[in-house]
Amino acid sequence: MKTLHVQVDAVTPVSTSGRWPLASLALPMLLSALGTSIANVGLPTLVQAFDASFQAVQWVVLAYLLAVTTLVVSAGRLGDTFGRRRLLLAGLGLFTVASALCGLAPTLGLLIAARALQGVGAAVMMALTLAFVGEMVPKAQTGRAMGLLATMSATGTALGPSLGGVLIAAEGWPALFYVNVPLGVLALGLAYRHLPADRRSGSVARGALDPLGSALLALTLAAYALTMTLGRGHFGGLNAALLLAALGGLAAFVRVEAKAAAPLIRPAMFRDAALCASLAASALVATVMMATLVVGPFHLARGLGLGAVEVGLVVSVGPLVVALAGVPAGRATDRFGARRITLVGLQVMALGAFTLAALPAGQGLPGYLVPLVLITAGYALFQTANNTALMAGADPARRGLLSGLLNLSRNLGLITGASMMGALFMAAAGGGDILAVDPGSVAMATRITFAVAGGLVLVALAWVGCGLRNPAD
C-alpha cells in the first residue's frame, strides 16, 4: 500500500512587538509547571480528606508526572504530523477540563484518574510550546523567547507551594485544581487568537504514524519512572524488575524503530553529536537541580535548624532566581551566542556545587544561599541557551519532536535526581531515620551530595564542549 506522509509547512516567524503572541506561549508553560508543584503541598490534606495512606495519596503527584514523562515525545511528534496549533488547543482544553474534574472528584481513585488526564494535557503543552518559538519569533530573538518561557516555568514551580497553601487554607483542597480553570480558559483564548494557523498538504495515512513505537516508548518510560519513584529511594525487588522491564522495552523500541516506515524517533538522529550532547547535558543538569529541592530542605531543617516557614522561603529562592534570570539569560544568548552561554552556565553551576561542597558547616545560611544562587543562575543560563541552540536551527518539520525530547530529558533527570541524589544523601548521612541524624552528619552528607553533583555538571560540560566543537552560531 502506498504511504502518504503529512508535510507541515514552515511558518514565517511573526512579529513579536506585541505581548499577547508570546503570552499565548508563556501561559501554557506556567500552567504545566504550576500543575506539578501545587499538588505537593496538598498531600497531607488529601490524606485526611480521603482517609487514605500517604503511599496512596502520592499517586496524585505520580500520575501527573508519569503522564507527562511517557507522552511528551509522542505529543511532539503528533504536533509535527497533525498540526501544532490544533493539538496545543486540544491539550489546553483537556488540561482545563481535567483540572475541573480534579476539584469535583468524590473519591481518591477518580482524583488520580483526573490528574492523569491533566498530565496528558500538560505533556502536549510542554512539547509544543518550545516548538512554536521557531514559528513565532525571529531567529535573532529566539534566546529572549526561550528565556521568557524558562522564567514562566520557574515562576509556576516557585508559585505552586505558596499559592497552594493559601488556597487550601481559604477554600480547601479542590481549590488547588480549580485555580487552573480560569487560567486555562484564558490560555485557550490567547492561543486560539494568536497562534499561527496550521498549513498542511497531503492526507494522513496509517503509515504516517508509529503506534507500536509510541506504545513501546510510553511503557518503557513508565517502567523507568516507576523504578525511580517507588520505594522513596530504597531499591528493592520491584524496582529491579521494573528496571529490567525498562531495559527490555528500550531494546524492543530500538528494533521496532529501525524497521518502521515512519518511526517516532529515527535512530539516525542520534548520530548528531550536538543533539546527543544537548539532551544528555539537560538530563544531568536536571538531576543536579533536583538535589537542591530534595536534599536542600533536609539540610536546612536538620543541618541548620530552620523552621518549616524558613525552609519554605529558602527553597523558593532557587526557582525565584531562575525566574529572574530567565529573560537576561535570553538576551545574553542572543548577543553572545548559544554555545558560549551554555558553557558559561555549566561553569557557574559547577562553581556553585563545588562551593557548597567545600564550605564548612559554620558558614550557616549564607554558606548555603550563595552557592544555591550560583547553581540556579547557572541553570537559567544553561537551560535558555541549550534550548535555543537546539530549537533555533531545527528542521521546522521536527520542532515538535525535538521539543518533546528536550522536555523528556529534563523530566528523566528530575526523576532520577529525586531518587538517586536523595538515596546518596541518606547513605552519606548514615541511613536510617533522618530525624535521628545529628546536624554534623547532615552537613557532611550535603557536602558529599553536592560534590557528586558538581562532578555531574563537569561531565555535562565536557560532553557539551565535545558535541558543540563546530557551533552553528
Side-chain angles (χ1 to χ4, degrees), residues 223-230 233 235 239 243 415-416 418-420:
Y224 179 78
L226 289 170
T227 299
M228 294 293 112
T229 51
L230 295 182
F235 196 86
N239 302 83
L243 182 58
I415 292 170
T416 303
S419 176
M420 297 185 67

Side-chain angles (χ1 to χ4, degrees), residues 200-221:
R200 299 187 300 140
S201 59
S203 59
V204 179
R206 283 179 294 179
L209 301 177
D210 182 18
L212 179 57
S214 299
L216 278 173
L217 181 62
L219 291 173
T220 298
L221 294 173

Side-chain angles (χ1 to χ4, degrees), residues 110-416:
L110 289 176
L111 173 58
I112 291 170
R115 278 285 285 175
L117 284 178
Q118 194 184 37
V120 174
V124 174
M125 291 153 58
M126 292 175 68
L128 297 184
T129 301
L130 293 180
F132 264 110
V133 170
E135 298 183 6
M136 299 182 65
V137 180
K139 189 172 182 178
Q141 299 178 15
T142 300
R144 301 182 189 187
M146 290 294 181
L148 174 63
L149 296 184
T151 293
M152 297 306 292
S153 178
T155 300
T157 301
L159 185 63
S162 55
L163 177 61
V166 172
L167 290 174
I168 289 176
E171 302 293 339
W173 69 263
L176 295 173
F177 308 106
Y178 285 145
V179 69
N180 291 318
V181 175
L183 293 175
V185 171
L186 175 60
L188 192 60
L190 288 174
Y192 182 83
R193 173 68 178 83
H194 294 289
L195 291 183
D198 298 316
R199 293 184 293 169
R200 299 187 300 140
S201 59
S203 59
V204 179
R206 283 179 294 179
L209 301 177
D210 182 18
L212 179 57
S214 299
L216 278 173
L217 181 62
L219 291 173
T220 298
L221 294 173
Y224 179 78
L226 289 170
T227 299
M228 294 293 112
T229 51
L230 295 182
R232 301 175 66 113
H234 299 286
F235 196 86
L238 178 59
N239 302 83
L242 286 168
L243 182 58
L244 288 175
L247 293 173
L250 178 61
F253 175 73
V254 172
R255 287 198 298 269
V256 167
E257 295 303 277
K259 298 178 181 179
L264 176 66
I265 301 175
R266 296 185 182 277
M269 287 177 60
F270 297 101
R271 297 173 187 167
D272 184 341
L275 172 63
C276 291
S278 176
L279 297 177
S282 178
L284 288 172
V285 165
T287 300
V288 172
M289 284 302 297
M290 183 52 74
T292 66
L293 300 175
V294 173
V295 175
F298 287 108
H299 174 75
L300 295 168
R302 298 295 303 161
L304 301 182
L306 299 185
V309 175
E310 290 85 354
V311 169
L313 290 174
V314 175
V315 170
S316 297
V317 168
L320 179 61
V321 170
V322 177
L324 294 175
V327 173
R331 292 180 181 274
T333 299
D334 289 335
R335 181 174 180 181
F336 299 108
R339 178 180 185 269
R340 183 176 299 175
I341 299 303
T342 298
L343 296 175
V344 169
L346 290 173
Q347 290 167 1
V348 173
M349 284 194 72
L351 175 63
F354 285 125
T355 299
L356 184 54
L359 285 178
Q363 297 295 323
L365 184 57
Y368 180 81
L369 273 176
V370 172
L372 177 66
V373 170
L374 288 174
I375 292 171
T376 50
Y379 173 71
L381 290 169
F382 165 81
Q383 184 185 39
T384 299
N386 188 57
N387 290 355
T388 301
L390 190 59
M391 300 304 299
D395 180 350
R398 293 196 307 168
R399 284 187 182 129
L401 175 61
L402 290 176
S403 176
L405 288 172
L406 264 178
N407 281 287
L408 174 62
S409 65
R410 176 179 174 272
N411 278 13
L412 291 180
L414 294 175
I415 292 170
T416 303

